Amino acid sequence: ASIAEATMAGDGVRRRDFINIAAVSFAGVGGLAALYPLISQMAPSADVLAESSTEIDISAISPGQAIKAVWRKQPVFIRNLTPEEIKAADAVDVSTLRDPETLEKRTTAGKTNWLITMGVCTHLGCVPLGAGEGEVKGEFGGYFCPCHGSVYDTAARIRKGPAPKNLEVPPHEFSSDTVVKIG
Ligand code: FES
């Protein structure tokens, strides 16, 4: 091949590359444009985003009691564990759990009595029953999901049923001894 032919062949390749790149970019833009309504629909609405954190007064929750708060439009369980419930949670051999986590890891240092979890079953998202709601004092003393029977223990760790994970612990910190900030 002469030098001239080689150059022409090179030009051909470069032109094809350009056409390919142009086509890909165009598809990319077209694809994004088509996806935009879907993405904007999936994005949390402004009022949900505005609620990036919420402060809850926990002064009235006695040991053995729990309340259901709301954060980002989802239920959150705030539970004041009794010394016996803490002991029961600590007595579990974590290595045998489906989703191994100690109570210590799921709570704040020095405040292991305060167990704060999402009230959303990790199976298909039903709201499990909490303290004082029927079956709570069942086999593992934690939460029971009425939808398909998942059972969580006193540390809200999954022990039975189809749920794959423990009840999720949302980001939180204690503003004082009586107020917790979630989010
Ligand atoms: Fe809770 Fe299925 S949604 S067990």
Side-chain angles (χ1 to χ4, degrees), residues 8-96:
M8 275 171 62
D11 278 354
V13 166
R14 274 199 294 277
R15 246 196 317 276
R16 261 202 311 280
D17 280 353
F18 174 77
I19 290 164
N20 282 343
I21 290 165
V24 166
S25 312
F26 183 76
V29 170
L32 274 184
L35 274 178
Y36 181 75
L38 190 66
I39 291 169
S40 67
Q41 226 172 33
M42 276 161 42
S45 61
D47 60 326
V48 171
L49 280 178
E51 196 202 355
S52 56
S53 68
T54 184
E55 297 218 308
I56 313 280
D57 182 351
I58 54 172
S59 59
I61 311 171
S62 313
Q65 289 187 329
I67 62 162
K68 201 188 291 173
V70 175
W71 174 61
R72 293 197 160 183
K73 298 199 168 168
Q74 296 206 299
V76 175
F77 296 149
I78 302 177
R79 184 165 176 171
N80 190 352
L81 295 169
T82 62
E84 294 72 40
E85 287 170 334
I86 293 173
K87 215 184 277 175
D90 285 340
V92 174
D93 177 358
V94 173
S95 69
T96 65

Side-chain angles (χ1 to χ4, degrees), residues 89 92-103 105-106 117 120 122-123 151-153 155-169:
V92 174
D93 177 358
V94 173
S95 69
T96 65
L97 298 180
R98 191 178 300 171
D99 182 10
E101 272 184 332
T102 59
L103 176 65
K105 175 154 186 266
R106 292 169 60 70
T117 61
V120 180
T122 60
H123 179 221
V151 182
Y152 299 87
D153 68 11
R157 296 173 297 201
I158 183 64
R159 300 298 291 275
K160 261 189 171 179
K165 308 281 284 177
N166 303 333
L167 292 186
E168 190 188 336
V169 175

